[in-house]
Amino acid sequence: MDPAEPTSASGVVASPAQAGAATTVPSRLGYFRWAICGLLLLGTTKNYMDRNVLGVLRVTLQHDLGWNEIDYGNLVVVFQAAYAVGMLVMGRLVDRLGTRVGYALAMVFWSLASMGTAFCSSLASFAVSRCALGFGEAAVFPASIKAVAEWFPKKERALATGIFNAGTNVGAMLAPVVVAWISLRWGWRGAFIGIGAIGFVWLVFWLMFYHKPEEQRRLSKAELDYIKSDPQETVQVIKWASLVPLRQTWAFGVGKFLIDPVWWFYLFWMPGFFQTKHGLSLTRIGPPLIAIYVIADIGSVVGGWISSFLIRSGRTINAARKIAMLICAIGVTPVVYAYRVESTWSAVLLIGLAAACHQGFSANLYTVTSDMFPAEAVGSVTGIGGMAGAIGGLLIASVVGHVLQWTGSYMIPFGIAGSAYLVALAMIQVLSPRLEPAKIN
């Protein structure tokens, strides 16, 4: 970020009082930026509905197609591998094409891939479909984080990120209900087609409303000035290779590598966990999963709000982000006991608390990319970190699949889930102790 002092329109260095006045929220500012955040929320919701269909139908497909736990784990590995490659490619593509076009193309691609799963009948064909889905879905976070960097000043970015990131929970929450309803009427193939087709409805609204702030005619001048109230960065072409050696890039990447696998574990194995360990049928897993993701939604927004509140209270960005992440990392730890409790709803509360803390931690981790990098690099850095997270998810998928096949116990996966965040925060602190802006050559 440009460390220069704020200047007035005439180019004269502004006094502290003037600088403070420039960032004060006008009484009649406008809220169009939050409508954009709503679009991002809906896009993330659709993304997670698509990827969660397989997890909801896991037991059904294992029964109908004769898969075992390792077969299912291998499908998750294929998705994760494609997601890892896609993160790298899609992050760069979004930076090249821009948020509007890049996100739109990705939505079309992964929606078609989701619908195409309905025509699969073998493990190999499912693997091809999941590969295409993972590659396309990888665009959602690079595009969304870049959109937040374009549409929000720094003091609101963590909250905006927390809100759109809540779509991961909304999508995972809606999937069991909608998938069960569709599959009972039109079979599991109908579920893939129905969920995938929703993307084309979202696409209409995206193309209608999303432009850069300075190109959006519905935006008031006061709101545009507020969005642009941070010291402006010099626009530059940033090479991908120049980002890889930076400690800031590694701080984000290592954090994603350690925490993302935990979320993949919840996403792909919790429906089966409640079916096999707590005896719930496909039609009865909805309420526990909904409860988990409602709690997680609260955590996503609250986690983002905490750091935004701390910044408004005078804390530095570095302190605000890391205090919020520390609170979340500590809150995750009780989940190590989730595999031992007999009560379904006790397990729901433990996993829900952990999922909420994951989302709060994740909202702040995503936001540090726009704290440390200029907008032109945010998509690429998010893609690099997302690739690291997907590689971690690939590894955890293999571990969980084999552990469950060999032992039938969830002890090791939940043990990893309870400890990963404290390790991640420690590594972030080592690699970027002050979250200082990256010096890009």
Side-chain angles (χ1 to χ4, degrees):
M1 304 298 178
D2 185 354
E5 294 176 282
T7 60
S8 67
S10 62
V12 178
V13 176
S15 68
Q18 289 171 323
T23 58
T24 300
V25 182
S27 58
R28 301 182 64 181
L29 179 62
Y31 300 98
F32 194 83
R33 67 195 185 283
W34 295 108
I36 295 298
C37 189
L39 274 176
L40 299 176
L41 168 67
L42 293 174
T44 309
T45 298
K46 165 63 169 59
N47 185 284
Y48 268 72
M49 289 182 72
D50 282 317
R51 72 178 67 181
N52 208 38
V53 175
L54 188 69
V56 174
L57 293 172
R58 167 190 158 199
V59 174
T60 300
L61 293 172
Q62 284 177 322
H63 176 269
D64 291 355
L65 302 178
W67 301 345
N68 60 28
E69 292 288 355
I70 294 177
D71 291 332
Y72 177 76
N74 287 337
L75 283 180
V76 177
V77 167
V78 168
F79 177 91
Q80 292 295 123
Y83 193 82
V85 175
M87 268 289 187
L88 204 59
V89 175
M90 290 297 186
R92 193 62 175 169
L93 188 68
V94 168
D95 276 341
R96 287 289 184 88
L97 299 180
T99 312
R100 184 173 188 266
V101 174
Y103 202 165
L105 290 176
M107 176 64 78
V108 171
F109 185 89
W110 95 60
S111 295
L112 289 174
S114 180
M115 296 171 72
T117 311
F119 303 99
C120 298
S121 56
S122 66
L123 191 66
S125 59
F126 267 88
V128 172
S129 175
R130 295 301 286 183
C131 181
L133 180 69
F135 185 83
E137 284 200 342
V140 67
F141 285 104
S144 297
I145 296 297
K146 189 175 179 70
V148 167
E150 290 175 348
W151 272 89
F152 289 86
K154 288 182 182 179
K155 57 179 160 288
E156 290 184 343
R157 287 179 188 173
L159 178 57
T161 301
I163 291 172
F164 90 70
N165 192 47
T168 61
N169 312 309
V170 177
M173 177 176 64
L174 291 176
V177 177
V178 178
V179 169
W181 187 85
I182 295 176
S183 62
L184 287 174
R185 287 160 178 78
W186 295 288
W188 61 261
R189 298 181 190 276
F192 284 105
I193 292 175
I195 299 298
I198 296 172
F200 295 95
V201 178
W202 177 91
L203 186 65
V204 172
F205 292 95
W206 177 257
L207 294 176
M208 186 182 303
F209 291 107
Y210 193 90
H211 299 273
K212 288 185 177 181
E214 56 271 20
E215 298 171 0
Q216 176 52 262
R217 296 180 180 178
R218 297 176 178 88
L219 190 65
S220 69
K221 184 179 183 303
E223 189 171 7
L224 177 61
D225 290 342
Y226 179 65
I227 291 169
K228 299 296 183 182
S229 61
D230 291 322
Q232 296 300 297
E233 304 156 350
T234 301
V235 177
Q236 56 182 315
V237 177
I238 298 172
K239 296 180 179 180
W240 181 87
S242 66
L243 299 171
V244 176
L246 299 174
R247 292 169 66 89
Q248 290 90 340
T249 303
W250 282 91
F252 179 67
V254 169
K256 293 290 287 178
F257 177 82
L258 290 168
I259 73 164
D260 277 12
V262 179
W263 184 249
W264 295 116
F265 166 60
Y266 296 149
L267 187 67
F268 289 123
W269 269 276
M270 285 309 94
F273 171 75
F274 285 108
Q275 287 177 279
T276 59
K277 294 302 177 183
H278 290 271
L280 303 184
S281 66
L282 178 63
T283 56
R284 292 176 59 211
I285 62 172
L289 293 177
I290 288 172
I292 288 171
Y293 292 117
V294 166
I295 297 169
D297 265 337
I298 296 170
S300 182
V301 177
V302 171
W305 175 85
I306 288 172
S307 67
S308 294
F309 171 78
L310 291 172
I311 291 170
R312 288 195 301 269
S313 300
R315 295 276 189 166
T316 65
I317 289 176
N318 179 58
R321 305 289 189 232
K322 289 177 180 174
I323 289 171
M325 286 192 282
L326 178 61
I327 292 170
C328 294
I330 294 171
V332 163
T333 55
V335 81
V336 297
Y337 299 107
Y339 79 99
R340 297 178 59 181
V341 298
E342 297 295 329
S343 165
T344 297
W345 287 100
S346 295
V348 165
L349 291 175
L350 286 172
I351 297 168
L353 174 62
C357 291
H358 167 91
Q359 294 292 49
F361 192 103
S362 185
N364 284 280
L365 181 58
Y366 271 123
T367 306
V368 301
T369 60
S370 58
D371 294 333
M372 299 188 294
F373 293 92
E376 291 76 22
V378 166
S380 296
V381 174
T382 304
I384 293 170
M387 180 188 70
I391 291 172
L394 184 154
L395 296 175
I396 199 69
S398 181
V399 168
V400 174
H402 283 82
V403 165
L404 292 182
Q405 185 68 26
W406 294 338
T407 71
S409 172
Y410 283 84
M411 180 182 69
I412 292 175
F414 278 116
I416 294 171
S419 58
Y421 299 83
L422 288 170
V423 176
L425 183 57
M427 293 300 297
I428 292 167
Q429 177 63 20
V430 169
L431 289 165
S432 188
R434 294 183 297 276
L435 296 183
E436 63 274 11
K439 296 179 180 178
I440 304 173
N441 297 323

